[in-house]
Amino acid sequence: MSTDKPATAPAQDSPQESVLLGPQATPRAAAAESTSTLVNRLWSYCELLRHSGVSTLDYVEQLTYLLFLKMADERANRPAKFRRNLPEEPLVPPGRDWASLTTRSGDALLDHYEFILKDLGSRGGTMLGEVFAKSSNKIHEPAVLERLIKDLINPYRWTTEDQDLKGDAYEGLLQRGAEDRKTGAGQYFTPRPVIDAMVDCVRPQVGETITDPACGTGGFLIAAHAHLNQHYQEQLYGDEGRKLQTGAITGYELVRETARLALMNMLLHNIGTSEAKPLITVQDSLAKSPSRFYDIVFANPPFGVGSVTGEAYTARKDFWTQTTNKQLNFVQHIYNLLKTNGRAAVVLPDNVLFESGAGETIRRNLLNLCDVHTLLRLPTGIFYANGVKANVLFFDKTGQRTGGRPGTRQLWVYDFRTDQRFTLKQRQLRREHLDDFVAAFHSGGTDFSARKPTDRFQPYDYEELITRDKVNLDLTVLRSGTDSANTALASPDVIAQEIVDELEAALAEFTTVARALKREADPESVTRTGTTSTADDDSDETGEARAG
């Protein structure tokens, strides 16, 4: 980005015609502070803002706009050796960028900030336009806005120079916002270690198309892009790099505000360009059959209280069965999204493994028409919504084998739940905790039958799976207490948190029953918003845990 600015703002561009636009502010020395320190500083300011009428949600929203502008400025001014593929155009045009904010004060700053939001939001049909679509300023005190920009954001570097933008501080703020909100917090975040392990297992390759039909803030898409950059950097110059910018990696998201965050994340991670067509489509992924098919699907579909059930989607003639269980519908949708021999890695709650009726039908079809080769049982305590019991299911759309034989030969189950204890604060899940699983996943190379079993990693033949009652895949490899090393790690606070998790999971189940009883007693009170479950689906609501 050029640091040259016009002496004055063009009359048609800004309401502050008389305000001089000086040269871009000289970058201050990047403070060598941790991500958590930066996040905590900004979050403490949120507490002060509450007294001036700025809510937590409004503050986080404004931070996303301001941090996007700041990080876009840092990205534009990073050393040339870190710029890849085509020469990079600035994400934000001059006169509407971060530098144009840091040269103003008082009412002029407030007016110009509001002008930036309006101007960038008017660029419909582009990635940048979607980022700022319908945006508005919620911080109306000039002094408050100026302190936020000049004292709390501008002095610090929010990106790293030695690698592609990570935005850990930015994502940390979003997570703090989720924690603060409590309800619905989990809908944005899959634990980063789980995302990275899933991508390391699937191993995306250059030339493959990748999607997430419930992408949240884009975590899977960004991790897949990072994997490609790490392993195929030299091949991403030229045509293959351009494909990554123009649609090889795409996502779908139901909630517009969440899609906005995903677009911000993607632009800052060098996926897509400001003036290009948005790579995130805002729509209900389940509403209609896919028109485009992909080599790889990563997903953590929404599940939990308030989002488990929805409409039966009777228009989906490509579904094996009709159900109001949203997770089961996503399994069917992901199967249909895949190209032949496409690969999927999907986070799913426990009930998908054992639910009768539609659940049994879907599991039978999946085992028959795909190679359902790996199931990772995740521990509790790793999602923002307590009590979540989830898994990662890996399958390839192979079709049946010759002679009409089922696509699945063996399902390998890795039990990472038994005797594993994590919390969000005292003992957080880290990527190295999943090293053994990723090694076990690849222990047979490309031949899953050649994998090496361990105490935690065992195969189940198709014949055994298909004869289980209701094709129940709720399989446990270890019995509690077998792994004494991990059992010894349980401290009183961790045990207490486990009890809380179990109680909250039980409360969620009781909530499901209460809603079902209410529906039977007063059907007119139930709206079609996907907030109630149906008795024939036996849905097990275990707390919202979508993450992207």
Side-chain angles (χ1 to χ4, degrees):
M1 179 185 295
S2 171
T3 58
D4 295 331
K5 298 289 184 285
T8 58
Q12 69 273 22
D13 287 343
S14 173
Q16 294 300 308
E17 299 178 28
S18 61
V19 177
L20 294 180
L21 288 176
Q24 179 172 315
T26 302
R28 306 183 192 182
E33 298 194 46
S34 67
T35 295
S36 61
T37 300
L38 292 171
V39 171
N40 288 338
R41 179 180 290 108
L42 285 171
W43 202 253
S44 66
Y45 194 47
C46 175
E47 297 296 326
L48 298 176
L49 287 178
R50 286 177 178 172
H51 297 295
S52 62
V54 180
S55 70
T56 298
L57 295 182
D58 286 342
Y59 179 58
V60 171
E61 180 186 47
Q62 298 306 305
L63 279 178
T64 62
Y65 298 142
L66 291 170
L67 284 176
F68 176 81
L69 294 171
K70 175 65 163 69
M71 294 163 74
D73 181 73
E74 293 179 3
R75 176 183 178 274
N77 289 287
R78 60 184 174 170
K81 66 179 180 178
F82 300 118
R83 302 176 187 177
R84 298 172 181 169
N85 307 322
L86 296 173
E88 293 178 353
E89 294 294 326
L91 292 180
V92 181
R96 295 134 180 87
D97 54 7
W98 183 254
S100 70
L101 288 172
T102 59
T103 57
R104 289 172 163 83
S105 298
D107 289 338
L109 172 63
L110 185 67
D111 291 344
H112 187 65
Y113 176 54
E114 292 178 347
F115 158 72
I116 287 176
L117 297 181
K118 182 178 179 180
D119 181 80
L120 297 182
S122 68
R123 301 165 187 248
T126 67
M127 293 266 291
L128 188 62
E130 287 300 311
V131 164
F132 288 93
K134 300 180 180 180
S135 59
S136 61
N137 177 34
K138 302 293 178 61
I139 303 175
H140 300 296
E141 291 293 331
V144 171
L145 180 64
E146 186 165 356
R147 184 187 174 196
L148 181 58
I149 291 173
K150 295 183 177 181
D151 296 339
L152 296 177
I153 296 179
N154 195 54
Y156 307 100
R157 176 168 294 281
W158 294 83
T159 64
T160 57
E161 290 186 347
D162 60 340
Q163 55 189 318
D164 274 344
L165 182 70
K166 295 300 181 185
D168 289 339
Y170 171 76
E171 294 176 4
L173 278 166
L174 299 181
Q175 291 182 353
R176 284 293 295 268
E179 290 180 73
D180 187 77
R181 289 161 63 182
K182 306 299 183 185
T183 57
Q187 70 177 321
Y188 295 115
F189 300 103
T190 308
R192 176 67 70 83
V194 174
I195 291 176
D196 290 341
M198 291 168 66
V199 172
D200 288 341
C201 287
V202 175
R203 291 179 174 173
Q205 300 178 31
V206 169
E208 292 186 313
T209 53
I210 303 167
T211 195
D212 181 346
C215 70
T217 55
F220 282 115
L221 305 178
I222 291 164
H225 182 264
H227 178 92
L228 291 170
N229 273 317
Q230 178 182 355
H231 295 281
Y232 302 99
Q233 181 174 341
E234 295 303 318
Q235 299 179 45
L236 294 181
Y237 291 93
D239 290 344
E240 292 301 336
R242 281 189 286 272
K243 289 178 182 177
L244 285 184
Q245 301 293 336
T246 57
I249 297 178
T250 60
Y252 302 84
E253 171 55 41
L254 177 63
V255 181
R256 181 169 295 277
E257 288 305 313
T258 310
R260 180 203 304 274
L261 297 176
L263 287 167
M264 287 182 176
N265 250 338
M266 293 179 76
L267 280 173
L268 291 170
H269 286 82
N270 201 32
I271 309 174
T273 60
S274 296
E275 301 304 316
K277 180 181 178 181
L279 298 178
I280 303 296
T281 302
V282 180
Q283 68 175 45
D284 181 353
S285 291
L286 300 177
K288 58 183 180 180
S289 301
S291 58
R292 183 183 177 188
F293 306 95
Y294 298 85
D295 297 296
I296 297 173
V297 176
F298 293 107
N300 181 357
F303 61 92
V305 175
S307 65
V308 168
T309 58
E311 298 184 26
Y313 297 102
T314 55
R316 293 296 299 267
K317 304 304 180 185
D318 54 340
F319 280 3
W320 295 313
T321 184
Q322 294 295 319
T323 175
T324 56
N325 185 303
K326 188 166 287 188
Q327 301 100 55
L328 292 175
N329 282 330
F330 263 104
V331 172
Q332 298 183 89
H333 178 65
I334 290 167
Y335 168 82
N336 286 293
L337 272 175
L338 288 170
K339 296 178 180 178
T340 300
N341 294 318
R343 314 189 297 287
V346 188
V347 179
L348 295 167
D350 277 11
N351 73 290
V352 171
L353 304 179
F354 59 75
E355 183 175 314
S356 60
E360 178 181 352
T361 299
I362 291 169
R363 290 190 295 275
R364 285 186 182 276
N365 278 280
L366 206 63
L367 290 169
N368 184 39
L369 299 175
C370 297
D371 183 3
V372 185
H373 52 80
T374 311
L375 175 65
L376 169 64
R377 310 304 304 269
L378 292 172
T380 58
I382 64 174
F383 290 95
Y384 282 98
N386 289 327
V388 170
K389 292 184 177 180
N391 315 268
V392 182
L393 188 66
F394 297 83
F395 61 91
D396 302 343
K397 189 177 179 178
T398 57
Q400 289 183 322
R401 289 177 287 158
T402 56
R405 292 178 296 166
T408 301
R409 295 176 174 85
Q410 290 179 319
L411 172 62
W412 287 77
V413 179
Y414 189 97
D415 189 346
F416 189 49
R417 181 178 300 174
T418 303
D419 292 336
Q420 294 289 329
R421 296 178 171 88
F422 297 95
T423 67
L424 294 178
K425 294 183 179 179
Q426 282 79 13
R427 187 170 188 257
Q428 295 183 340
L429 179 70
R430 300 189 302 273
R431 173 61 182 82
E432 56 262 34
H433 290 131
L434 289 158
D435 282 350
D436 185 71
F437 164 67
V438 175
F441 186 100
H442 293 298
S443 61
T446 58
D447 182 1
F448 294 139
S449 65
R451 286 169 161 175
K452 299 173 176 59
T454 67
D455 288 343
R456 287 193 179 273
F457 194 47
Q458 294 290 329
Y460 292 81
D461 292 335
Y462 170 84
E463 290 74 19
E464 178 181 356
L465 298 173
I466 206 68
T467 56
R468 288 174 60 87
D469 182 41
K470 300 176 184 177
V471 195
N472 188 330
L473 302 182
D474 189 16
L475 304 162
T476 301
V477 174
L478 284 173
R479 285 182 294 180
S480 182
T482 303
D483 191 340
S484 57
N486 282 295
T487 303
L489 292 173
S491 59
D493 62 310
V494 171
I495 294 173
Q497 184 60 55
E498 287 182 340
I499 294 172
V500 171
D501 290 347
E502 292 294 334
L503 289 173
E504 291 188 350
L507 180 61
E509 294 178 13
F510 282 122
T511 300
T512 304
V513 173
R515 286 174 173 163
L517 292 173
K518 181 178 180 180
R519 183 187 61 253
E520 293 176 3
D522 185 12
E524 296 300 323
S525 68
V526 180
T527 60
R528 300 175 69 185
T529 58
T531 58
T532 59
S533 62
T534 55
D536 60 343
D537 280 330
D538 294 324
S539 295
D540 177 18
E541 299 187 351
T542 56
E544 186 152 311
R546 175 163 66 95

Short mmCIF file of all heavy atoms in Angstrom, two decimals, residues 72-108:
data_model
loop_
_atom_site.label_atom_id
_atom_site.label_comp_id
_atom_site.label_asym_id
_atom_site.label_seq_id
_atom_site.Cartn_x
_atom_site.Cartn_y
_atom_site.Cartn_z
N ALA A 72 -5.39 -4.97 8.21
CA ALA A 72 -5.25 -4.80 6.77
C ALA A 72 -4.10 -3.84 6.47
O ALA A 72 -3.36 -4.03 5.49
CB ALA A 72 -6.56 -4.27 6.17
N ASP A 73 -3.94 -2.82 7.29
CA ASP A 73 -2.84 -1.87 7.13
C ASP A 73 -1.49 -2.55 7.37
O ASP A 73 -0.54 -2.36 6.61
CB ASP A 73 -3.02 -0.71 8.11
CG ASP A 73 -1.92 0.33 7.99
OD1 ASP A 73 -1.93 1.07 6.99
OD2 ASP A 73 -1.06 0.40 8.89
N GLU A 74 -1.41 -3.38 8.41
CA GLU A 74 -0.17 -4.11 8.68
C GLU A 74 0.13 -5.09 7.54
O GLU A 74 1.30 -5.25 7.14
CB GLU A 74 -0.28 -4.84 10.01
CG GLU A 74 -0.35 -3.90 11.21
CD GLU A 74 -0.47 -4.65 12.52
OE1 GLU A 74 -0.44 -5.90 12.49
OE2 GLU A 74 -0.59 -4.00 13.57
N ARG A 75 -0.89 -5.72 7.05
CA ARG A 75 -0.70 -6.68 5.95
C ARG A 75 -0.15 -5.98 4.72
O ARG A 75 0.73 -6.50 4.03
CB ARG A 75 -2.04 -7.35 5.63
CG ARG A 75 -2.03 -8.31 4.45
CD ARG A 75 -3.44 -8.84 4.23
NE ARG A 75 -3.52 -9.72 3.08
CZ ARG A 75 -3.70 -9.32 1.82
NH1 ARG A 75 -3.79 -8.03 1.57
NH2 ARG A 75 -3.77 -10.20 0.85
N ALA A 76 -0.67 -4.80 4.41
CA ALA A 76 -0.23 -4.07 3.23
C ALA A 76 1.21 -3.60 3.35
O ALA A 76 1.90 -3.43 2.34
CB ALA A 76 -1.14 -2.87 3.00
N ASN A 77 1.68 -3.41 4.57
CA ASN A 77 3.03 -2.89 4.78
C ASN A 77 4.02 -3.94 5.24
O ASN A 77 5.11 -3.61 5.70
CB ASN A 77 2.97 -1.75 5.81
CG ASN A 77 2.30 -0.51 5.26
OD1 ASN A 77 2.86 0.20 4.43
ND2 ASN A 77 1.07 -0.26 5.69
N ARG A 78 3.68 -5.21 5.10
CA ARG A 78 4.63 -6.26 5.46
C ARG A 78 5.70 -6.37 4.37
O ARG A 78 5.49 -5.95 3.23
CB ARG A 78 3.91 -7.60 5.64
CG ARG A 78 3.19 -8.09 4.41
CD ARG A 78 2.43 -9.36 4.70
NE ARG A 78 1.63 -9.74 3.54
CZ ARG A 78 1.01 -10.90 3.42
NH1 ARG A 78 1.11 -11.80 4.38
NH2 ARG A 78 0.30 -11.17 2.36
N PRO A 79 6.85 -6.96 4.69
CA PRO A 79 7.92 -7.10 3.71
C PRO A 79 7.47 -7.85 2.46
O PRO A 79 6.65 -8.77 2.54
CB PRO A 79 8.99 -7.88 4.47
CG PRO A 79 8.73 -7.57 5.91
CD PRO A 79 7.24 -7.44 6.02
N ALA A 80 8.02 -7.47 1.31
CA ALA A 80 7.59 -8.04 0.03
C ALA A 80 7.80 -9.54 -0.02
O ALA A 80 7.06 -10.25 -0.71
CB ALA A 80 8.33 -7.36 -1.12
N LYS A 81 8.81 -10.06 0.71
CA LYS A 81 9.10 -11.50 0.62
C LYS A 81 7.97 -12.35 1.18
O LYS A 81 7.92 -13.55 0.93
CB LYS A 81 10.40 -11.82 1.34
CG LYS A 81 10.36 -11.60 2.85
CD LYS A 81 11.70 -11.97 3.48
CE LYS A 81 11.69 -11.77 4.99
NZ LYS A 81 12.97 -12.16 5.61
N PHE A 82 7.08 -11.73 1.95
CA PHE A 82 5.97 -12.48 2.51
C PHE A 82 4.70 -12.38 1.67
O PHE A 82 3.66 -12.90 2.05
CB PHE A 82 5.67 -12.02 3.95
CG PHE A 82 6.83 -12.21 4.88
CD1 PHE A 82 7.42 -11.13 5.49
CD2 PHE A 82 7.34 -13.48 5.11
CE1 PHE A 82 8.50 -11.30 6.34
CE2 PHE A 82 8.42 -13.66 5.97
CZ PHE A 82 9.00 -12.57 6.58
N ARG A 83 4.77 -11.69 0.55
CA ARG A 83 3.62 -11.58 -0.34
C ARG A 83 3.72 -12.66 -1.40
O ARG A 83 4.75 -12.82 -2.04
CB ARG A 83 3.59 -10.20 -0.99
CG ARG A 83 3.55 -9.08 0.03
CD ARG A 83 3.61 -7.72 -0.65
NE ARG A 83 3.73 -6.66 0.35
CZ ARG A 83 3.86 -5.39 0.04
NH1 ARG A 83 3.89 -5.01 -1.22
NH2 ARG A 83 3.96 -4.48 1.00
N ARG A 84 2.62 -13.38 -1.62
CA ARG A 84 2.65 -14.53 -2.51
C ARG A 84 1.71 -14.34 -3.68
O ARG A 84 0.84 -13.50 -3.70
CB ARG A 84 2.27 -15.80 -1.74
CG ARG A 84 3.25 -16.11 -0.62
CD ARG A 84 2.76 -17.25 0.22
NE ARG A 84 3.70 -17.51 1.31
CZ ARG A 84 3.45 -18.31 2.33
NH1 ARG A 84 2.29 -18.91 2.41
NH2 ARG A 84 4.34 -18.49 3.28
N ASN A 85 1.88 -15.21 -4.66
CA ASN A 85 1.04 -15.24 -5.85
C ASN A 85 1.15 -13.91 -6.61
O ASN A 85 2.25 -13.45 -6.89
CB ASN A 85 -0.41 -15.56 -5.48
CG ASN A 85 -0.50 -16.82 -4.64
OD1 ASN A 85 0.22 -17.78 -4.88
ND2 ASN A 85 -1.37 -16.83 -3.66
N LEU A 86 0.01 -13.28 -6.92
CA LEU A 86 0.02 -12.02 -7.66
C LEU A 86 0.41 -10.86 -6.75
O LEU A 86 0.27 -10.96 -5.53
CB LEU A 86 -1.36 -11.76 -8.26
CG LEU A 86 -1.85 -12.76 -9.30
CD1 LEU A 86 -3.29 -12.47 -9.66
CD2 LEU A 86 -0.97 -12.73 -10.53
N PRO A 87 0.89 -9.76 -7.31
CA PRO A 87 1.10 -8.56 -6.49
C PRO A 87 -0.18 -8.20 -5.76
O PRO A 87 -1.26 -8.18 -6.33
CB PRO A 87 1.49 -7.50 -7.53
CG PRO A 87 2.03 -8.27 -8.68
CD PRO A 87 1.24 -9.55 -8.73
N GLU A 88 -0.05 -7.91 -4.48
CA GLU A 88 -1.24 -7.69 -3.65
C GLU A 88 -1.75 -6.26 -3.74
O GLU A 88 -0.99 -5.31 -3.58
CB GLU A 88 -0.93 -8.04 -2.19
CG GLU A 88 -0.66 -9.51 -1.97
CD GLU A 88 -0.32 -9.78 -0.51
OE1 GLU A 88 -0.17 -8.81 0.27
OE2 GLU A 88 -0.19 -10.96 -0.16
N GLU A 89 -3.02 -6.14 -3.99
CA GLU A 89 -3.67 -4.85 -3.90
C GLU A 89 -4.06 -4.62 -2.44
O GLU A 89 -4.33 -5.57 -1.70
CB GLU A 89 -4.92 -4.81 -4.79
CG GLU A 89 -4.63 -4.91 -6.26
CD GLU A 89 -3.88 -3.69 -6.78
OE1 GLU A 89 -4.13 -2.57 -6.26
OE2 GLU A 89 -3.04 -3.85 -7.67
N PRO A 90 -4.10 -3.38 -1.98
CA PRO A 90 -4.51 -3.15 -0.60
C PRO A 90 -5.94 -3.63 -0.38
O PRO A 90 -6.80 -3.48 -1.25
CB PRO A 90 -4.40 -1.63 -0.44
CG PRO A 90 -4.44 -1.09 -1.83
CD PRO A 90 -3.79 -2.13 -2.69
N LEU A 91 -6.19 -4.21 0.79
CA LEU A 91 -7.54 -4.67 1.10
C LEU A 91 -8.51 -3.51 1.21
O LEU A 91 -9.69 -3.63 0.86
CB LEU A 91 -7.54 -5.47 2.41
CG LEU A 91 -6.82 -6.82 2.40
CD1 LEU A 91 -6.91 -7.48 3.77
CD2 LEU A 91 -7.40 -7.74 1.34
N VAL A 92 -8.02 -2.38 1.73
CA VAL A 92 -8.86 -1.21 1.94
C VAL A 92 -8.28 -0.04 1.15
O VAL A 92 -7.09 0.24 1.24
CB VAL A 92 -8.93 -0.84 3.44
CG1 VAL A 92 -9.84 0.36 3.66
CG2 VAL A 92 -9.42 -2.03 4.26
N PRO A 93 -9.10 0.66 0.35
CA PRO A 93 -8.57 1.76 -0.48
C PRO A 93 -8.08 2.93 0.36
O PRO A 93 -8.59 3.19 1.46
CB PRO A 93 -9.76 2.15 -1.35
CG PRO A 93 -10.97 1.68 -0.61
CD PRO A 93 -10.54 0.44 0.12
N PRO A 94 -7.09 3.68 -0.16
CA PRO A 94 -6.59 4.87 0.54
C PRO A 94 -7.73 5.86 0.81
O PRO A 94 -8.67 5.98 0.04
CB PRO A 94 -5.58 5.46 -0.45
CG PRO A 94 -5.15 4.29 -1.29
CD PRO A 94 -6.37 3.42 -1.42
N GLY A 95 -7.62 6.54 1.93
CA GLY A 95 -8.64 7.50 2.32
C GLY A 95 -9.76 6.88 3.13
O GLY A 95 -10.56 7.58 3.75
N ARG A 96 -9.79 5.54 3.16
CA ARG A 96 -10.77 4.83 3.97
C ARG A 96 -10.08 3.81 4.86
O ARG A 96 -10.71 2.93 5.42
CB ARG A 96 -11.79 4.12 3.07
CG ARG A 96 -12.64 5.08 2.25
CD ARG A 96 -12.71 4.61 0.82
NE ARG A 96 -13.51 5.51 0.01
CZ ARG A 96 -13.01 6.60 -0.61
NH1 ARG A 96 -11.73 6.92 -0.49
NH2 ARG A 96 -13.79 7.37 -1.33
N ASP A 97 -8.79 3.91 4.96
CA ASP A 97 -7.97 2.92 5.65
C ASP A 97 -7.63 3.37 7.07
O ASP A 97 -8.08 4.40 7.55
CB ASP A 97 -6.70 2.64 4.84
CG ASP A 97 -5.93 3.93 4.53
OD1 ASP A 97 -6.33 5.00 5.05
OD2 ASP A 97 -4.96 3.86 3.77
N TRP A 98 -6.82 2.54 7.72
CA TRP A 98 -6.44 2.80 9.10
C TRP A 98 -5.68 4.12 9.24
O TRP A 98 -5.90 4.89 10.19
CB TRP A 98 -5.60 1.65 9.63
CG TRP A 98 -5.21 1.80 11.07
CD1 TRP A 98 -3.99 2.13 11.57
CD2 TRP A 98 -6.08 1.65 12.20
NE1 TRP A 98 -4.03 2.19 12.93
CE2 TRP A 98 -5.30 1.89 13.36
CE3 TRP A 98 -7.42 1.33 12.36
CZ2 TRP A 98 -5.82 1.83 14.64
CZ3 TRP A 98 -7.95 1.25 13.65
CH2 TRP A 98 -7.15 1.51 14.76
N ALA A 99 -4.79 4.38 8.29
CA ALA A 99 -3.99 5.61 8.37
C ALA A 99 -4.87 6.85 8.35
O ALA A 99 -4.56 7.85 9.00
CB ALA A 99 -3.00 5.66 7.21
N SER A 100 -5.97 6.80 7.64
CA SER A 100 -6.86 7.97 7.57
C SER A 100 -7.59 8.20 8.89
O SER A 100 -8.08 9.30 9.14
CB SER A 100 -7.86 7.80 6.43
OG SER A 100 -8.83 6.79 6.72
N LEU A 101 -7.65 7.19 9.75
CA LEU A 101 -8.24 7.36 11.07
C LEU A 101 -7.24 7.93 12.06
O LEU A 101 -7.58 8.79 12.89
CB LEU A 101 -8.76 6.01 11.59
CG LEU A 101 -10.02 5.45 10.94
CD1 LEU A 101 -10.28 4.02 11.43
CD2 LEU A 101 -11.23 6.32 11.24
N THR A 102 -6.00 7.46 11.98
CA THR A 102 -5.01 7.87 12.98
C THR A 102 -4.57 9.32 12.82
O THR A 102 -3.93 9.88 13.71
CB THR A 102 -3.76 6.97 12.90
OG1 THR A 102 -3.20 7.05 11.59
CG2 THR A 102 -4.12 5.52 13.23
N THR A 103 -4.90 9.95 11.69
CA THR A 103 -4.52 11.37 11.48
C THR A 103 -5.62 12.34 11.88
O THR A 103 -5.47 13.55 11.66
CB THR A 103 -4.15 11.60 9.99
OG1 THR A 103 -5.25 11.21 9.17
CG2 THR A 103 -2.91 10.80 9.62
N ARG A 104 -6.72 11.84 12.43
CA ARG A 104 -7.84 12.70 12.81
C ARG A 104 -8.09 12.62 14.31
O ARG A 104 -7.69 11.66 14.98
CB ARG A 104 -9.11 12.30 12.05
CG ARG A 104 -9.07 12.64 10.56
CD ARG A 104 -10.29 12.04 9.86
NE ARG A 104 -10.53 12.64 8.57
CZ ARG A 104 -9.92 12.29 7.44
NH1 ARG A 104 -9.00 11.34 7.45
NH2 ARG A 104 -10.21 12.90 6.30
N SER A 105 -8.81 13.61 14.81
CA SER A 105 -9.15 13.66 16.23
C SER A 105 -10.56 14.20 16.40
O SER A 105 -11.12 14.82 15.49
CB SER A 105 -8.17 14.54 17.00
OG SER A 105 -6.86 14.04 16.94
N GLY A 106 -11.12 13.96 17.58
CA GLY A 106 -12.40 14.55 17.96
C GLY A 106 -13.54 14.22 17.01
O GLY A 106 -13.67 13.10 16.53
N ASP A 107 -14.39 15.22 16.76
CA ASP A 107 -15.55 15.02 15.90
C ASP A 107 -15.14 14.63 14.48
O ASP A 107 -15.86 13.87 13.81
CB ASP A 107 -16.39 16.29 15.85
CG ASP A 107 -17.12 16.56 17.16
OD1 ASP A 107 -17.32 15.59 17.93
OD2 ASP A 107 -17.47 17.73 17.43
N ALA A 108 -14.00 15.15 14.01
CA ALA A 108 -13.54 14.80 12.67
C ALA A 108 -13.26 13.30 12.57
O ALA A 108 -13.55 12.66 11.55
CB ALA A 108 -12.28 15.60 12.31
#
